[in-house]
């Protein structure tokens, strides 16, 4: 029998057994990237971690019984400014950035909609974009105004925080602390400093849509409303799991909860809230000013995506992670060793020693420790595959590195044959010359009992 899944829930600050609302349709939402520029390696963390959870849910409940929605934020101040500076539309900018992001994360072994969706069936993975959900945002905003939880002021629509008695239940911040934080620069049209924007007027040149609530001027949505709209559209008013980085708990997730619950009159938005810890680089906060800002693409220039994925999964998702060169080197050595064991073997049964710790709030460190102990290729492959690792065969990997190294395979084979002939004639000098020529091409030869094999030198 499959182990019971346990998850640490930010809402209750406790780890508890996960009970889906409907086990025949488990629904998970994750806040995805804001696509204005190349994603950094910190952004890759929630993508990889929640991809692992998605894989685990598919295993535990069956692939047809899980829906994962990971949104794309394709309208915000940074996007608007960047598009305006380049003289292109926000769609043109975000299409380009999103395509690059997809290339990056695919190489990190992250499942994509086209990998899991089955034609004619309910989609398993959706990637909704904010600008495709303006109608849903407007419906929620108007619902909130009608219910007395939002008001119109100076061309804006604002959420009325004091109208929600249990506002703040996710972040559990004391009201006076939140107020002090919000009071830094309070817009004059806000009734309470905590009130937040649902809709605002667009400045000239900014993208705009017809406004809700009878407002004459066109406008654009505030940030938080998009996730209430997209999760509602794709998962329903209430769903099972909502995930994102720890920085999103307040205000983003708190405000999502306020919007969705007050609009739909529900007790919860999502039952379980998961938050990944932050990534820092070589012991320091990653930032452009410190010069240690690393994009996913920078990492992929030096390392296979699988190495980066393993390096990311070694640390438990709730802990801070220190991204280091040493961690990548270690992950690379580990994968070499594992591929050496697995070779081209097919996956067997997923070992309990891997599934159990993963089911315990994604204890990846324990699951990886078990993979280190396994020496049966079929079990090792199955356990690693569940984590999105060892998904290639050793031969395919070698072929890949041969292609990447630009090696001319027929030339290599002709040289190996020449070397075999030289050795048969005991012409050791000629044999050595051929070997040196191969080495100069980056090809290493190995003589074994079954003949000579070759590989591209690492
Ligand atoms: P953003 O594009 O900044 O909205 O971030 C997209 C996702 O990446 C959010 O879930 C953030 O919480 C997460 N994120 C951003 N920076 C980091 C970091 N340094 N470490 C871990 N997660 C991060
Ligand atoms: Zn969100």
């Amino acid at each position: 029998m499959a182990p019971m899944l346990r998850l640490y829930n930010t809402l209750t600050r406790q780890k508890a057994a996960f009970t889906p609302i409907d086990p025949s349709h488990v629904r998970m939402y994750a806040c995805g990237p804001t696509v204005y520029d190349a994603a950094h390696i910190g952004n890759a963390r929630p993508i990889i971690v929640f991809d692992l959870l998605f894989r685990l849910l598919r295993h535990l409940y069956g692939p047809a019984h899980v829906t994962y929605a990971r949104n794309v934020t394709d309208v915000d101040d940074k996007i608007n400014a960047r598009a305006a500076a380049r003289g292109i539309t926000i769609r043109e900018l975000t299409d380009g950035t999103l395509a690059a992001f997809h290339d990056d994360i695919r190489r990190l072994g992250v499942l994509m909609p086209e990998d899991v969706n089955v034609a004619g069936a309910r989609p398993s993975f959706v990637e909704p974009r904010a600008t495709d959900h303006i109608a849903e945002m407007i419906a929620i905003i108007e619902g909130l105004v009608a219910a007395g939880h939002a008001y119109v002021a100076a061309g804006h629509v604002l959420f009325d925080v004091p109208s929600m008695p249990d506002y703040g239940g996710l972040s559990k911040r004391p009201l006076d602390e939140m107020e002090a934080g919000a009071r830094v620069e309070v817009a004059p049209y806000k009734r309470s400093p905590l009130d937040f924007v649902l809709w605002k007027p667009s400045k000239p040149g900014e993208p705009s849509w017809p406004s809700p609530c009878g407002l004459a001027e066109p406008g654009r949505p505030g940030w938080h409303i998009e996730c209430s709209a997209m999760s509602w559209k794709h998962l329903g008013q209430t769903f099972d799991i909502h995930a994102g980085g720890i920085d999103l708990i307040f205000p983003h997730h708190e405000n999502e909860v306020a919007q969705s619950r007050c609009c739909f009159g529900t007790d919860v938005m999502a039952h379980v809230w998961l938050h990944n810890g932050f990534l820092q680089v070589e012991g320091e906060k990653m930032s452009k000013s410190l010069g240690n800002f690393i994009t996913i693409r920078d990492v992929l220039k030096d390392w296979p995506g699988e190495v980066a994925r393993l390096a990311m999964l070694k640390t438990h998702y709730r802990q801070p992670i220190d991204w280091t060169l040493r961690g990548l080197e270690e992950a690379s050595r580990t994968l070499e060793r594992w591929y050496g064991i697995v070779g081209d073997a097919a996956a067997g049964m997923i070992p309990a020693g891997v599934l159990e710790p993963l089911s315990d709030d994604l204890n990846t460190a324990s699951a990886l420790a078990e993979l280190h102990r396994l020496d049966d290729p079929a079990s090792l492959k199955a356990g690693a595959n569940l984590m999105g690792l060892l998904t290639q065969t050793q031969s395919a990997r070698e072929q890949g590195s041969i292609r990447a190294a630009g090696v001319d395979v027929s030339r290599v084979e002709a040289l190996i044959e020449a070397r075999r002939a030289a050795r048969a004639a005991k012409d050791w000098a000629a044999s050595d010359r051929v070997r040196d020529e191969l080495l100069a091409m980056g090809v290493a030869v190995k003589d074994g009992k079954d003949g000579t094999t070759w590989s591209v030198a690492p």
Side-chain angles (χ1 to χ4, degrees):
M1 213 186 88
M4 170 64 94
L5 176 60
R6 292 169 63 77
L7 294 171
Y8 180 87
N9 188 354
T10 306
L11 201 55
T12 57
R13 305 290 194 272
Q14 268 170 3
K15 194 155 78 172
F18 171 68
T19 321
I21 301 166
D22 172 5
S24 73
H25 190 196
V26 180
R27 290 159 288 153
M28 160 162 103
Y29 186 90
C31 292
T34 305
V35 285
Y36 72 100
D37 202 352
H40 60 67
I41 190 66
N43 297 137
R45 192 173 194 197
I47 299 288
I48 292 174
V49 162
F50 302 124
D51 171 71
L52 175 63
L53 179 59
F54 178 44
R55 288 168 184 269
L56 181 64
L57 291 171
R58 285 166 63 82
H59 175 75
L60 294 175
Y61 293 93
H65 303 293
V66 180
T67 298
Y68 177 26
R70 186 187 63 216
N71 80 288
V72 174
T73 299
D74 62 353
V75 55
D76 92 325
D77 289 343
K78 284 189 220 131
I79 291 172
N80 300 345
R82 184 74 54 105
R86 292 210 191 141
I88 55 176
T89 63
I90 58 167
R91 235 330 141 147
E92 284 165 332
L93 174 74
T94 58
D95 277 351
T97 321
L98 183 58
F101 174 73
H102 283 158
D103 286 347
D104 287 350
I105 63 169
R106 181 178 270 295
R107 289 171 65 191
L108 296 172
V110 171
L111 290 175
M112 304 296 273
E114 58 272 27
D115 299 328
V116 293
N117 289 344
V118 178
R122 179 176 65 205
S124 187
F125 185 175
V126 286
E127 204 180 23
R129 294 175 68 147
T131 56
D132 293 333
H133 296 76
I134 301 288
E136 288 79 4
M137 296 186 212
I138 287 183
I140 295 176
I141 292 171
E142 293 190 332
L144 287 170
V145 173
H149 289 292
Y151 58 95
V152 174
H156 294 65
V157 188
L158 293 130
F159 186 90
D160 183 349
V161 169
S163 76
M164 182 186 190
D166 56 351
Y167 179 83
L170 179 66
S171 58
K172 304 201 189 334
R173 292 195 178 188
L175 211 59
D176 52 351
E177 196 184 286
M178 289 191 286
E179 271 180 15
R183 204 163 270 139
V184 183
E185 201 185 327
V186 186
Y189 46 80
K190 285 190 182 179
R191 289 185 196 160
S192 153
L194 284 177
D195 293 353
F196 58 90
V197 169
L198 299 170
W199 191 267
K200 57 187 160 190
S202 295
K203 298 193 189 83
E206 284 180 348
S208 66
W209 291 266
S211 293
C213 309
L215 286 166
E217 298 304 319
R220 59 191 177 98
W223 170 30
H224 317 299
I225 193 71
E226 65 175 73
C227 289
S228 287
M230 288 183 268
S231 59
W232 171 42
K233 167 89 181 276
H234 298 280
L235 305 178
Q237 295 181 352
T238 298
F239 51 95
D240 296 296
I241 298 172
H242 193 313
I246 194 164
D247 57 319
L248 299 183
I249 297 177
F250 186 87
H252 184 54
H253 288 166
E254 197 70 81
N255 291 349
E256 280 187 37
V257 170
Q259 294 162 162
S260 295
R261 284 188 48 209
C262 290
C263 178
F264 305 126
T266 47
D267 289 340
V268 286
M269 177 189 191
H271 284 276
V272 181
W273 289 78
L274 303 182
H275 292 100
N276 66 271
F278 249 47
L279 173 145
Q280 48 175 22
V281 174
E282 305 282 355
E284 285 190 322
K285 184 176 178 277
M286 177 168 56
S287 82
K288 289 208 162 115
S289 59
L290 285 173
N292 64 354
F293 187 89
I294 308 175
T295 64
I296 301 177
R297 201 142 289 194
D298 292 334
V299 173
L300 294 175
K301 260 189 242 133
D302 296 334
W303 301 94
E306 195 171 9
V307 168
R309 182 180 179 96
L310 175 57
M312 196 70 88
L313 290 177
K314 277 195 288 189
T315 306
H316 186 258
Y317 76 94
R318 282 195 285 117
Q319 299 302 318
I321 184 172
D322 194 17
W323 189 257
T324 62
L325 184 59
R326 236 189 92 218
L328 287 158
E329 286 166 349
E330 234 177 76
S332 175
R333 280 194 299 274
T334 299
L335 283 171
E336 285 308 320
R337 192 172 79 74
W338 286 348
Y339 271 113
I341 297 172
V342 167
D344 292 351
M349 291 273 286
I350 294 172
V354 174
L355 188 55
E356 275 166 19
L358 288 182
S359 303
D360 182 14
D361 196 33
L362 300 180
N363 187 342
T364 48
S366 267
L368 292 170
E370 176 66 6
L371 293 182
H372 275 289
R373 282 189 288 269
L374 291 171
D375 49 17
D376 160 43
S379 307
L380 175 52
K381 179 143 181 141
N385 281 178
L386 180 62
M387 302 181 75
L389 297 166
L390 303 187
T391 51
Q392 311 171 66
T393 61
Q394 177 67 335
S395 309
R397 251 176 114 229
E398 280 168 3
Q399 289 302 319
S401 52
I402 288 165
R403 272 196 307 278
V407 170
D408 177 346
V409 174
S410 53
R411 170 95 185 117
V412 171
E413 276 162 5
L415 285 169
I416 295 222
E417 177 51 27
R419 180 168 169 274
R420 195 199 57 75
R423 284 162 65 94
K426 300 199 169 10
D427 184 349
W428 308 118
S431 154
D432 285 353
R433 270 199 308 279
V434 176
R435 183 188 205 111
D436 289 346
E437 191 174 336
L438 284 162
L439 274 176
M441 293 166 71
V443 171
V445 289
K446 199 158 97 192
D447 300 306
K449 59 179 186 324
D450 300 326
T452 300
T453 55
W454 63 277
S455 58
V456 178

